[in-house]
Amino acid sequence: MCSCILGVFIFQGYWIYNAYHVRLQDFNRDINDALRTAVQNKQFGDVHRLFARAIPAERGAVIGRPRMINLQTDTRWSDSGMVAQGVTVTRVIQADKGRLHLRLFTGDSIKRVYSDSLSKDISDMLMANKYYNSRMSVKSLDSVYGRELASRGITTAYELDSINMTPEVLDAINTGKPDPLQSFVIPFNPFSEYAVRARFSSPLRHILQQMLGTLLGSAALLLLTVGCFIYMLRTILQQKKLSEVKNDFINNMTHELKTPIATVSAAVEAMQNFNALNDTKKTQSYLAISRQELQRLSDLVEKVLHIAAEEKENFELNYETTDINDLVSSIVANHRLKAAKNVDFSYTVLSDPLVVADRTHLANAINNLVDNAIKYSGDPAVVHIQIAKEAQHLKVTVKDNGIGIPYSYQESIFEKFFRVPNGNLHNVKGFGLGLSYVKKIAEMHGGAVRVKSLPEKGSEFTLEIPLG
């Protein structure tokens, strides 16, 4: 699965890399097209301004009246042609003492005379005579080029460089490997050695803006893939943990149920086969053992029923006024009787012992804390119970001198079925349910349970619930 995720990342990275280079090529194409268009627009703009007066579109008669513009040239050029039915136009361009004279003669009256073909011829003639060698400037081209770039959505900073080179050198430069951050060298006209080139700063921002949708989509896809992978991995680990907990629970439950059954069976067998019924003392002893084990079996079944009730989460607390001193003393007295080891109990009492809580569930929660304190302590066990009312809260603290709990497990001990790992051996039998029940009851009362513990130094559990 990790290899699959890595492959997706590599593929996405390769795809984005190729997409970036395609956009970079498009950027280079756009800046070249924009520069060519800007040079042409500047040429035709200047031609239009120069000859607008010489080639008018007029209404009415234009008879024998010449229009003139003076240019520096030595060229003679003339032609004549029919531009409309019944209309003859004669055009003459000739040199006269270093000055260019353009004359347009028409014969009959006309409504409109278009000068498109004449403008083209004049533009060709001007370029052929290198008219722009001295007139076209980089500064005047810059504004035209800027508008062309803006129309293509390009805002990257650039500089225009003017270059003088022969046509051979120009061809060699333009046929070499293109630089994506530079345009081709564009001549001002095909016969001129005067050319221009644009150099750009990094177009990364421009390209990223164009690829924004692609990048966001790719990032979302990757995040979704990683999120699904993490969720799946987490689910697998949780299922594995639940499977281990389930197996541990089944093993513990089987052992706990088997022990009282085996003890009762042995007692009954002794009374049947070894004439124990004739000995009243032995009979009473075996019956007492059987009763104790059956009570233990009943407690186990009761715990399982509590688990089922918790899973349904349909029980409600029955709040009532409870004497906390009486409740704690009853728990202590009960454990004094049934403890299988010596236990040194000490506890405090309140001058105002009345609290409002669910007596049964609160007693069970405190009983679980005391039971754990005894089970996980040595012999003799030392258990101290402190009761206090602080800041509108009831605090019941159970402290022992037991084996303690490593810090890394102190958050997990309140999870259902969790038991502190001790290899495959658990010297103290249990189901990992007591503390999860304590936490649930505390939270249902609107309180909490906390633990302080150090290995081999004992543990201190504090159950806190609000008063009233």
Side-chain angles (χ1 to χ4, degrees):
M1 182 56 70
C2 292
S3 300
C4 180
I5 296 296
L6 181 61
V8 171
F9 271 89
I10 293 175
F11 175 78
Q12 287 289 323
Y14 177 74
W15 179 68
I16 292 175
Y17 175 80
N18 284 339
Y20 174 81
H21 279 275
V22 169
R23 295 286 185 177
L24 190 61
Q25 292 174 2
D26 292 343
F27 174 80
N28 183 258
R29 185 190 66 240
D30 288 342
I31 63 176
N32 280 294
D33 291 345
L35 186 58
R36 291 191 189 96
T37 303
V39 171
Q40 292 173 4
N41 289 344
K42 188 70 173 67
Q43 291 172 344
F44 289 117
D46 288 345
V47 168
H48 177 73
R49 287 193 298 272
L50 289 170
F51 293 98
R53 293 173 299 172
I55 313 173
E58 299 184 1
R59 292 182 181 271
V62 182
I63 303 175
R65 187 176 58 184
R67 296 300 178 96
M68 182 181 301
I69 183 169
N70 297 326
L71 301 173
Q72 297 296 326
T73 183
D74 295 324
T75 299
R76 176 181 176 80
W77 173 87
S78 68
D79 74 343
S80 63
M82 189 76 68
V83 298
Q85 185 175 4
V87 178
T88 302
V89 179
T90 301
R91 296 166 289 182
V92 177
I93 299 177
Q94 65 181 10
D96 182 11
K97 297 180 181 180
R99 304 173 68 84
L100 183 69
H101 302 277
L102 171 63
R103 290 180 173 86
L104 173 63
F105 298 93
T106 63
D108 301 332
S109 293
I110 58 175
K111 293 183 178 180
R112 297 183 68 181
V113 176
Y114 291 95
S115 57
D116 293 343
S117 60
L118 178 59
S119 297
K120 179 178 183 303
D121 293 337
I122 294 173
S123 177
D124 293 340
M125 183 274 296
L126 290 174
M127 289 191 294
N129 284 272
K130 306 179 183 180
Y131 175 70
Y132 285 107
N133 236 6
S134 58
R135 294 290 300 274
M136 177 69 82
S137 67
V138 172
K139 183 176 180 180
S140 61
L141 178 64
D142 183 74
S143 60
V144 181
Y145 187 43
R147 289 194 297 271
E148 288 295 326
L149 291 176
S151 68
R152 290 167 170 80
I154 299 175
T155 58
T156 307
Y158 68 92
E159 292 181 356
L160 288 177
D161 297 330
S162 59
I163 303 172
N164 284 309
M165 60 180 63
T166 62
E168 292 77 12
V169 175
L170 179 64
D171 292 339
I173 292 177
N174 288 337
T175 56
K177 184 178 180 180
D179 184 346
L181 301 184
Q182 290 185 0
S183 70
F184 291 129
V185 179
I186 308 296
F188 283 121
N189 70 69
F191 303 95
S192 173
E193 296 179 359
Y194 188 51
V196 67
R197 177 175 62 187
R199 291 187 296 109
F200 285 77
S201 59
S202 174
L204 180 61
R205 181 178 178 182
H206 171 72
I207 294 176
L208 289 180
Q209 288 177 345
Q210 290 184 321
M211 296 178 62
L212 183 60
T214 301
L215 293 175
L216 291 178
S218 180
L221 178 62
L222 291 177
L223 289 176
L224 181 62
T225 303
V226 173
C228 291
F229 172 75
I230 293 175
Y231 176 77
M232 182 183 65
L233 181 62
R234 182 180 178 184
T235 302
I236 291 174
L237 293 177
Q238 286 180 340
Q239 291 296 325
K240 180 181 178 182
K241 181 180 178 180
L242 288 175
S243 178
E244 294 174 351
V245 168
K246 180 195 71 174
N247 292 334
D248 190 29
F249 173 76
I250 292 173
N251 291 335
N252 290 331
M253 177 62 78
T254 301
H255 179 80
E256 292 291 336
L257 293 175
K258 187 175 180 180
T259 299
I261 294 173
T263 302
V264 172
S265 298
V268 172
E269 183 180 359
M271 287 188 292
Q272 288 178 340
N273 299 329
F274 299 100
N275 296 320
L277 291 175
N278 297 326
D279 189 335
T280 305
K281 185 176 180 180
K282 286 184 178 181
T283 300
Q284 293 297 325
S285 177
Y286 290 147
L287 289 175
I289 293 173
S290 298
R291 181 178 180 180
Q292 182 179 356
E293 292 302 319
L294 288 173
Q295 182 61 44
R296 180 181 175 188
L297 184 61
S298 177
D299 292 340
L300 293 175
V301 173
E302 189 68 24
K303 285 186 177 180
V304 174
L305 292 177
H306 281 164
I307 295 172
E310 282 188 53
E311 287 296 330
K312 292 181 180 179
E313 296 185 352
N314 58 356
F315 70 94
E316 295 182 358
L317 299 179
N318 182 25
Y319 287 94
E320 58 181 309
T321 302
T322 302
D323 188 328
I324 191 65
N325 291 343
D326 181 62
L327 188 146
V328 171
S329 62
S330 298
I331 292 172
V332 170
N334 185 43
H335 280 284
R336 286 186 192 275
L337 292 175
K338 69 178 185 179
K341 63 176 74 173
N342 295 321
V343 183
D344 182 10
F345 281 106
S346 63
Y347 61 94
T348 62
V349 294
L350 294 176
S351 58
D352 178 17
L354 297 181
V355 296
V356 177
D358 187 304
R359 179 182 178 88
T360 301
H361 287 293
L362 181 59
N364 289 337
I366 297 174
N367 184 74
N368 285 348
L369 294 178
V370 175
D371 185 57
N372 284 347
I374 296 172
K375 287 194 299 185
Y376 293 99
S377 296
D379 191 359
V382 178
V383 179
H384 177 68
I385 305 173
Q386 181 177 355
I387 310 169
K389 288 183 178 180
E390 297 178 4
Q392 297 301 313
H393 282 77
L394 171 68
K395 293 184 179 180
V396 180
T397 302
V398 180
K399 185 176 181 180
D400 62 62
N401 63 336
I403 60 176
I405 304 169
Y407 180 79
S408 57
Y409 298 117
Q410 290 182 14
E411 290 292 331
S412 302
I413 58 175
F414 296 103
E415 296 177 6
K416 194 172 295 184
F417 303 117
F418 180 83
R419 301 191 70 193
V420 176
N422 191 23
N424 292 324
L425 178 65
H426 289 288
N427 295 325
V428 179
K429 296 300 178 181
F431 307 120
L433 299 171
L435 291 178
S436 66
Y437 174 79
V438 173
K439 180 181 179 182
K440 184 175 183 63
I441 296 303
E443 291 176 347
M444 291 185 68
H445 278 84
V449 60
R450 297 185 298 274
V451 60
K452 296 179 182 178
S453 183
L454 291 173
E456 306 303 328
K457 299 292 185 180
S459 302
E460 178 178 307
F461 286 86
T462 301
L463 173 63
E464 181 177 344
I465 62 174
L467 293 172

